[in-house]
């Protein structure tokens, strides 16, 4: 079974630029999550999708972050414009059962 | 508002000995607890979980203990092996709610 795929793995941008991350979940997994992990902290949930609908986006900074999950499969997370404090690893996870979240390798974003 | 705390950022243990990782939480309403393991440049992987109706759950070398009155859980690894060197995150949630709240992580190093 293929795992959660994410791209790119690394991205360096200047502040005020925009960036997009892509996630392909495990086939058949209805639930998809985006997390932000800042250095020295645990992953923090940004948004949760059930199929292509948003379940929870309470911690998503909606003035600059947006996410979509087209056709209930792949998802993209966008930041526009980026700030220095957005430097983090962005993790995508998917699940078919509660609590059994499978994580991708993450995208390390550096904002300079 | 830190709902989940892992007060030891790092821990070093001799190979073959017991590793004990600790996690404290503040809200007694949480009723499902998990441990994730993370290697560098990879996403977290699920390790073991426990519900609030139990005080112990064992899986091979890994045992999780839950002390509800103290709002404390711990992960015991025995015997510790070099491949156990990783960052360990505890996560908490409510049964029926898939949102996980992660601790800050403990970096475990097993010394050969």
């Amino acid at each position: 079974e293929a795992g959660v795929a994410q791209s790119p793995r690394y991205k360096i941008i200047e502040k005020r630029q925009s960036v997009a991350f892509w996630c392909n979940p495990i086939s058949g997994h209805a639930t998809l999550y985006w997390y932000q992990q800042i250095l020295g902290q645990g992953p923090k949930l940004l948004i949760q999708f059930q199929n292509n609908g948003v379940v929870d986006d309470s911690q998503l900074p909606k003035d600059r972050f947006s996410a979509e999950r087209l056709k209930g499969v792949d998802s993209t997370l966008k930041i526009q414009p980026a700030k220095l404090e957005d430097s983090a690893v962005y993790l995508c996870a998917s699940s078919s059962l509660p609590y059994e979240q499978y994580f991708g390798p993450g995208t390390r974003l550096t904002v300079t | 508002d830190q709902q989940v705390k892992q007060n030891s950022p790092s821990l070093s243990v001799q190979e073959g000995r017991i590793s004990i990782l600790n996690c404290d939480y503040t809200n007694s309403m949480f009723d499902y607890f998990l441990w994730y393991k993370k290697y560098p440049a990879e996403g977290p992987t699920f390790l073991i979980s426990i519900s609030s109706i139990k005080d112990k759950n064992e899986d091979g070398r890994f045992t999780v203990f839950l002390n509800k009155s103290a709002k404390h859980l711990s992960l015991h690894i025995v015997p510790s092996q070099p491949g156990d060197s990783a960052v360990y995150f505890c996560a908490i949630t409510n049964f029926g709610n898939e949102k996980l709240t992660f601790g800050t992580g403990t970096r475990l190093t097993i010394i050969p």
Side-chain angles (χ1 to χ4, degrees), chain B residues 29 48 67 86 96 99 102:
Chain B
M29 297 302 291
I48 192 170
N67 182 333
K99 180 177 179 178
F102 285 86

Side-chain angles (χ1 to χ4, degrees), chain A residues 6-86:
Chain A
Q6 290 188 248
S7 67
R9 293 296 309 276
Y10 304 92
K11 190 74 176 177
I12 301 174
I13 62 172
E14 295 181 352
K15 59 184 179 184
R16 290 187 290 273
Q17 286 186 324
S18 62
V19 64
F21 313 126
W22 173 82
C23 173
N24 179 240
I26 293 173
S27 177
H29 281 193
T31 311
L32 185 147
Y33 314 79
W34 282 103
Y35 288 86
Q36 178 193 59
Q37 186 181 5
I38 293 172
L39 187 65
Q41 299 182 19
K44 182 185 85 170
L45 180 69
L46 292 175
I47 188 167
Q48 176 185 344
F49 292 95
Q50 180 77 20
N51 296 309
N52 60 353
V54 175
V55 174
D56 184 347
D57 65 356
S58 57
Q59 297 196 86
L60 186 74
K62 298 181 187 63
D63 57 335
R64 298 183 301 107
F65 286 65
S66 65
E68 60 180 4
R69 189 180 185 195
L70 298 175
K71 300 179 182 178
V73 182
D74 292 5
S75 178
T76 56
L77 176 70
K78 296 179 182 178
I79 308 175
Q80 181 179 12
K83 293 185 175 181
L84 294 176
E85 59 260 36
D86 298 333

Side-chain angles (χ1 to χ4, degrees), chain B residues 28-85:
Chain B
S28 58
M29 297 302 291
F30 290 115
D31 57 12
Y32 200 78
F33 308 88
L34 307 93
W35 284 95
Y36 278 79
K37 174 180 178 179
K38 185 182 183 304
Y39 291 119
E42 295 183 13
T45 55
F46 169 75
L47 191 57
I48 192 170
S49 63
I50 188 168
S51 73
S52 59
I53 61 173
K54 294 184 174 182
D55 55 17
K56 176 182 174 181
N57 189 26
E58 195 170 351
D59 184 3
R61 297 185 297 113
F62 302 91
T63 303
V64 56
F65 294 92
L66 176 63
N67 182 333
K68 291 184 287 294
S69 60
K71 300 194 198 64
H72 176 85
L73 68 154
S74 61
L75 174 68
H76 293 209
I77 306 172
V78 58
S80 299
Q81 298 176 354
D84 297 329
S85 294

Side-chain angles (χ1 to χ4, degrees), chain B residues 36-39 84-89 104-108:
Chain B
Y36 278 79
K37 174 180 178 179
K38 185 182 183 304
Y39 291 119
D84 297 329
S85 294
V87 177
Y88 290 79
F89 293 97
T104 52
T106 296
R107 181 177 301 277
L108 175 66

